[in-house]
Every structure is written in C-alpha cells, then in structure tokens.
Amino acid sequence: MYEDIVYGGFYTITGKSKNYIHIAGTDEWNKVVTGKVPKKIFYETFKEIRND
C-alpha cells in the first residue's frame, strides 16, 4: 500500500506499463479512485506503507 505524500490518500498498485503505474484506492476525501500515474511522478510523490 502506498500513501500520496502531497495530497493524501492511500493506493494500491494494480498494474504497470512502460511509462505508467496503474493505481486504485481512496483519495483525501475518501472517494474511490482508479487511474494511471507517470512512473517519475509516482516515485517522487508516493511513499510505501509497510504493515509489519
């Protein structure tokens, strides 16, 4: 699970392509969100959350 450190919200990776990472989760207003994010932006603005 990943957290968006800029806007908030929690997301899971549902797939990957050459230029994009496909995600699904909830945004800062707890609405369900699906879509794709460019890889560069994903690795800059998303932080992995570990449930150890």
Side-chain angles (χ1 to χ4, degrees):
M1 179 165 292
Y2 292 83
E3 179 182 10
D4 184 343
I5 59 176
V6 176
Y7 298 107
F10 298 95
Y11 303 92
T12 301
I13 294 176
T14 58
K16 294 182 180 181
S17 65
K18 184 177 179 181
N19 297 318
Y20 294 97
I21 294 180
H22 300 269
I23 60 171
T26 57
D27 64 8
E28 63 272 21
W29 298 289
N30 290 329
K31 294 181 181 176
V32 175
V33 176
T34 61
K36 61 183 180 179
V37 178
K39 284 185 177 183
K40 180 179 178 184
I41 293 173
F42 181 85
Y43 290 117
E44 290 173 356
T45 62
F46 287 77
K47 178 179 72 170
E48 186 172 10
I49 298 173
R50 299 203 180 246
N51 293 334
D52 293 340

